[in-house]
Amino acid sequence: MKYLTTTLALLAPVHAGLRFPCSTLTFQRLDPVVEPGSSPSSHVHHIVGGNAFNSSMTGDVATRASCTTCQMADDFSNYWTATLYFKHPSNGSYHRVPVLPVQPLLGGSQGAVGGLTVYYTQFDLNKDNLKSQPPIKTFPPGFRMTVGSPTASSKPHVGLRYQCLTGQSRGAEMSDFPTKPCTGGIFATQHFPACWDGVNLDSPDHQSHMFNTIRSDGFTNAPACPSTHPIRTPQVTYETVWDTSKFNSLWPSGTPNPFVWSFEGTSGYGTHADYMFGWKGDALQKAMDKSECFYDGCGSITKQAMSKASQCTVKDFVGEVTDGWLGKLPGMAM
Ligand SMILES: *[C@@H]1O[C@H](CO)[C@@H](O)[C@H](O)[C@H]1NC(C)=O
Ligand SMILES: *[C@@H]1O[C@H](CO)[C@@H](O)[C@H](O)[C@H]1NC(C)=O
């Protein structure tokens, strides 16, 4: 009897999870969520997604974009984070850390260039936890949010983590930067909150229209949304591999972590991420309404080859050098 119950439980739940690669769209000092209209914004971002990206973005992004660097061809959203730089321990120069597509990734990341991996999950990655959950409602056009803060310097934030990649291992999750060189790079994860107030497309701090009910880490079961934020949205997550390997020989053993975020963030706690919704029509909602689709197009989303996605570009609005050896970080005083 127990066996039968378990079998039924596995068959019954509605469960959808999207996971897909997006190539790098651009590295620029722009931030249409936190500093709309500022060109340049304060610090350099690594940006992926649709080509409607600009210093200021309002309304239905999907109607203005004509291509996306993401595998899901109906997804013209933009996803961005701060950019990681190496600060040379002896001469103080900075060098941008390259990004690599997350490996291994099911569903064909061949042809991806840099970028990050995006997840939209219903609740978590455990099918057994999905009984009696409310339906997922996806974001409306114009919706935006951020998670984390560049000024955070000590308090570990749920869902913002680092891992030190070595060989085949991702290693333990940490809330601050690794303290020794990682041969495979630094893996950064950013989980967004998944409860929405159902009204506001944004809020003054870009966070209070959302609420996080996840108390432990990662892709864990999300407790019910509170009455102030009653709408369960997809859980959005980014994963980025910062390929620190070529700087490891310049990191003398026993010295502090030499990697900094682009706002001169020497503390790993300053990790943050920005999201600008831009799915076409109801493409995302249809996928989230599906059951038992996982890491694919959920039966309704059109996918494109990453070699094609990687050709999508935006112009260099700011026109400044962000790569190579730099005497100071772009936008920073010294
Ligand atoms: C970007 O935004 C600026 C200011 O709103 C606008 O003038 C410009 O046409 C936009 N560029 C693109 C390529 O959308
Ligand atoms: C710092 O060192 C790197 C290589 O190790 C070099 O390319 C760069 O020019 C140096 N910067 C200065 C200011 O000397």
Side-chain angles (χ1 to χ4, degrees):
M1 200 57 205
K2 184 156 191 298
Y3 175 75
L4 180 64
T5 312
T6 308
T7 308
L8 287 175
L10 286 173
L11 290 175
V14 172
H15 184 66
L18 296 177
R19 175 176 74 171
F20 55 89
C22 300
S23 290
T24 297
L25 179 70
T26 188
F27 286 93
Q28 289 193 51
R29 264 206 295 147
L30 291 176
D31 191 336
V33 171
V34 177
E35 297 173 87
S38 292
S39 183
S41 67
S42 63
H43 57 263
V44 179
H45 288 114
H46 172 226
I47 301 141
V48 310
N51 68 340
F53 186 79
N54 199 343
S55 58
S56 156
M57 296 173 77
T58 52
D60 192 347
V61 170
T63 61
R64 296 198 303 275
S66 57
C67 66
T68 172
T69 67
C70 295
Q71 184 184 42
M72 302 304 176
D74 292 333
D75 181 14
F76 301 101
S77 306
N78 287 110
Y79 310 90
W80 65 98
T81 74
T83 302
L84 197 65
Y85 280 84
F86 172 74
K87 184 175 187 179
H88 198 296
S90 46
N91 73 21
S93 293
Y94 297 87
H95 199 295
R96 199 176 79 199
V97 178
V99 274
L100 285 177
V102 176
Q103 298 289 349
L105 196 59
L106 304 173
S109 59
Q110 298 87 351
V113 177
L116 49 80
T117 296
V118 174
Y119 290 75
Y120 288 83
T121 48
Q122 286 187 329
F123 299 100
D124 63 11
L125 298 186
N126 183 351
K127 295 182 186 192
D128 294 336
N129 287 334
L130 295 170
K131 282 162 276 178
S132 72
Q133 294 280 8
I136 295 284
K137 189 170 174 346
T138 56
F139 312 103
F143 179 89
R144 60 209 57 202
M145 63 178 162
T146 68
V147 66
S149 164
T151 56
S153 60
S154 63
K155 192 170 175 287
H157 190 298
V158 169
L160 302 178
R161 289 293 179 261
Y162 299 94
Q163 283 160 286
C164 184
L165 303 182
T166 51
Q168 293 303 303
S169 167
R170 281 191 183 175
E173 294 201 335
M174 303 172 288
S175 51
D176 202 353
F177 284 131
T179 52
K180 57 177 181 20
C182 307
T183 52
I186 296 175
F187 190 90
T189 305
Q190 284 119 352
H191 291 272
F192 285 84
C195 298
W196 177 42
D197 69 13
V199 177
N200 295 296
L201 300 178
D202 194 4
S203 47
D205 64 0
H206 315 292
Q207 299 189 352
S208 21
H209 57 316
M210 297 298 288
F211 189 89
N212 181 29
T213 56
I214 297 178
R215 287 175 204 107
S216 57
D217 263 326
F219 297 100
T220 47
N221 192 20
C225 289
S227 59
T228 53
H229 298 74
I231 308 295
R232 173 72 69 187
T233 64
Q235 159 99 68
V236 179
T237 301
Y238 306 169
E239 290 176 341
T240 311
V241 175
W242 296 97
D243 181 14
T244 52
S245 58
K246 74 173 180 177
F247 306 104
N248 285 345
S249 65
L250 300 173
W251 181 354
S253 155
T255 63
N257 158 64
F259 296 99
V260 299
W261 287 117
S262 45
F263 44 91
E264 190 67 75
T266 53
S267 163
Y269 295 120
T271 176
H272 63 280
D274 298 59
Y275 174 72
M276 175 76 68
F277 174 81
W279 283 79
K280 192 171 156 189
D282 62 355
L284 179 61
Q285 185 66 57
K286 270 163 118 174
M288 289 291 120
D289 289 345
K290 285 269 162 53
S291 57
E292 296 300 320
C293 73
F294 216 50
Y295 295 168
D296 60 17
C298 288
S300 57
I301 300 178
T302 311
K303 289 199 216 176
Q304 61 179 343
M306 286 311 291
S307 53
K308 180 173 178 225
S310 300
Q311 288 165 23
C312 185
T313 57
V314 288
K315 75 174 201 187
D316 181 357
F317 296 100
V318 176
E320 73 183 346
V321 176
T322 64
D323 205 5
W325 288 103
L326 305 170
K328 65 183 189 68
L329 289 170
M332 299 296 123
M334 51 178 296

